[in-house]
Amino acid sequence: MEQPLLEGLTAEQINFQLILHSGNARSKIIESLRQYRQGHTEEAERLVNEAEKDLGVAHSIHFQMIQEEANGKSASFSLLMMHAEDHLMSTLTMKELVKELIQLFKERNV
């Protein structure tokens, strides 16, 4: 998945990119657990891998935001930015939890 560059984007556009990619990952993570529950283990693993790619893009965007601030460019804090950050962090947590659940289910043949 191609890593987006933030240059030329407004703060709102950057935040929406973060929401888009972490939201896509979140949907895939939830669907992976549903697929596993239906007995489609390969599809579940494929969805987790796709979610990790989406999260990689979101993480890249987030890292670029941090780099810009570290280089002296002031970040404009907004409710939208807080929402984007929340999306990213909750999706990262959800991904780790779902991966652990799937592994636990596999070990117990559930």
Side-chain angles (χ1 to χ4, degrees):
M1 195 169 283
E2 191 172 316
Q3 302 297 315
L5 296 176
L6 305 184
E7 190 174 327
L9 297 179
T10 67
E12 289 81 14
Q13 289 170 323
I14 293 168
N15 289 324
F16 278 119
Q17 286 292 310
L18 197 55
I19 291 167
L20 169 73
H21 293 288
S22 60
N24 286 346
R26 178 189 217 102
S27 295
K28 290 172 185 173
I29 289 165
I30 292 168
E31 183 61 24
S32 73
L33 197 53
R34 289 178 180 146
Q35 288 295 318
Y36 187 88
R37 192 174 64 211
Q38 294 174 6
H40 306 135
T41 57
E42 289 180 18
E43 179 64 8
E45 289 174 7
R46 186 189 68 75
L47 285 163
V48 168
N49 289 334
E50 281 189 25
E52 287 180 328
K53 290 177 187 174
D54 287 315
L55 280 170
V57 174
H59 187 267
S60 174
I61 293 167
H62 193 248
F63 186 69
Q64 288 178 65
M65 293 167 67
I66 292 169
Q67 281 182 317
E68 285 184 3
E69 188 170 345
N71 288 329
K73 184 178 178 187
S74 176
S76 60
F77 183 79
S78 67
L79 186 58
L80 183 61
M81 178 189 267
M82 188 168 69
H83 178 67
E85 293 273 326
D86 182 51
H87 242 282
L88 177 60
M89 300 314 294
S90 64
T91 302
L92 287 167
T93 302
M94 184 182 291
K95 178 197 72 147
E96 291 304 316
L97 180 60
V98 167
K99 284 178 72 173
E100 289 297 320
L101 282 171
I102 289 173
Q103 185 60 37
L104 178 65
F105 295 156
K106 281 181 181 179
E107 290 171 4
R108 296 193 177 181
N109 295 317
V110 176

